[in-house]
Amino acid sequence: MKKTFLIFCLIVSMLIVSCGKSAKPAGNSVSFNMEAEPTSLDPQLLTDMSGIFITSMTYESLVRLNDKNEIVPSGAESWTKSDDGKVWTFKIRQGMKWSNGDPLTAKDYFNGIKRGLDPKTGSEYSVLAYYIENAENYNNGTLKDFGQVGIKAKDDYTLEFTLSKPAPFFLKTLIMPVYFPVNEKALADNGEGYATEAGKSVYSGPFIMEEWVHDNKVVMKKNPNYWNAQNIKVDTLTGLIVTDFEAATNLFENKELDLTKISVEKMANFEGKPELHKFPDGRVYYLGFNTSNPVLKNKKVRQALSLAIDRKELVNSILNGAGIIGSGIVSNGTVGEKGDFREEAGDLFAEFANVNVKQVFEEGLKELNMTPAQVKLHLLVDENGTGKKEAEFYQSQWKDKLGIDVEVEVLTKKERIARAKAGEFEIVRYAWGPDYADPMTYLEMFHSKVKDLNFAKYADPKYDELVDLAKVNQDNKTRMDAMKQAEKLLSDDFRYSVLYYEVGVYLINPKLKGVVIRSVGDSIDFYNASITK
């Protein structure tokens, strides 16, 4: 009877999934799983990967990445850099239009960056523009006159940036949405509602957002006004929001999805089949410890909680091999001085291999005049992927090795992010994917001046000094050495503790060609995609 009831429940859940998501559009269309409701689809406000790859398809950035992750012209057809590396001049492509027919000019890019830096906007990614002269002072409110910020629309088709100091990787940051253009008319017409619904913005990218059904799907149609429309091969691009990878796999098998991540448990069912693809994607998963909690303020307690986790077992047993053991906040595959930064910097946990974690934990508790029975901690994870399964593993590791019970709360991804940023957590499992191809994309978010992204409020003047040096120094060896030292300082503090680097496991329709899955910027890129019937 119980077995019959379980089968009935499974059938009902599948029917609910099928009814909740509309069938894949007919014709030259592609449907993919974006996994989670975006925190926002406002380019200057969004912070998550769902938002980044939707807006990268609907707004035209100055530059884009090609299939080799090289910077190529897009909204800007060319650019030059001054001999001292501080002045960058971009020639904006003429003839571009917004989806409402307005011309797309240098002023629109100027407006976007100004809005991203405006303290009233509250953009978390404004930090990416701090390389621009006086941008930080304007963003923190100490400078009121935006005319003193180093960005100028010299004419309709010339945009000029003046940096406070040379930044070797400045060009790489321009793929991020905080730099995307803003149409003044759309912003004024929609006010506080700007970009909160599909019809409350206008678009400049290869696709127009036609529909946004919250917590369900985003539908994009090919933009006939796009300057390169003749080379955009997909007519309709639909992102379904399916948090349950089991349900997503069923949708793929029913041909309602052309691309989705799948659970590590399902991976074995597709081994050897052309649909299965694995990509080390540069995404790092880590724990953040809130030191406003008296127990977690003790470094030895944080160290013990971190080192108690067997990362090899985590990757092999919990992730079924779909991960790489974490050894520092900068993921493998990131370019360093001469080769891979991770290999050059080494395993930052290696020196702790023989540490007695129970002894370290008890030493920490002794300093707090506490016993293990008095320790009550709370872990936040989200419902996506292996979050819940990992949480159960961490619970068991802490129980077996430290003798403590940790309560787990499973949230939506959006809720988990909001709680972390608000400081409403004790321990939280978090993830970060690189925005651009440089170790700095991982390290700059732990600078003491960074607010929401540095949610555990790590602050070390020496760390700040090293990161600041690496941001502006033109010598690659000096930069990399500084970042290696900074990473070690961060790791040894144990306020953030790396778990693993993700290996994305995807099912992709063999008829879908040209889609790029990458570790930086828009993680799923349909710019050159095509699909055969």
Side-chain angles (χ1 to χ4, degrees), residues 356-425:
N356 184 324
V357 293
K358 184 67 179 295
Q359 181 179 330
V360 171
F361 186 61
E362 289 174 347
E363 288 173 0
L365 293 186
K366 186 175 181 180
E367 292 172 4
L368 297 168
N369 295 314
M370 295 182 69
T371 65
Q374 293 174 294
V375 176
K376 305 295 181 186
L377 293 172
H378 187 271
L379 169 65
L380 293 184
V381 298
D382 61 58
E383 62 189 359
N384 292 61
T386 55
K388 186 177 180 181
K389 190 176 179 183
E390 286 179 47
E392 293 169 353
F393 175 72
Y394 306 143
Q395 270 184 314
S396 67
Q397 294 273 289
W398 291 328
K399 178 68 173 177
D400 295 345
K401 297 178 183 180
L402 305 179
I404 61 171
D405 293 309
V406 176
E407 182 185 356
V408 170
E409 185 176 1
V410 182
L411 305 169
T412 66
K413 182 178 178 180
K414 192 172 184 178
E415 289 170 329
R416 188 262 300 161
I417 291 173
R419 290 271 291 276
K421 291 175 181 176
E424 297 171 0
F425 71 96

Side-chain angles (χ1 to χ4, degrees), residues 122-124 417 420-422 430 445 450-456 496:
S123 172
E124 291 179 38
I417 291 173
K421 291 175 181 176
Y430 215 85
M445 64 180 173
V450 176
K451 298 179 179 65
D452 289 344
L453 297 177
N454 183 13
F455 56 84
Y496 295 100

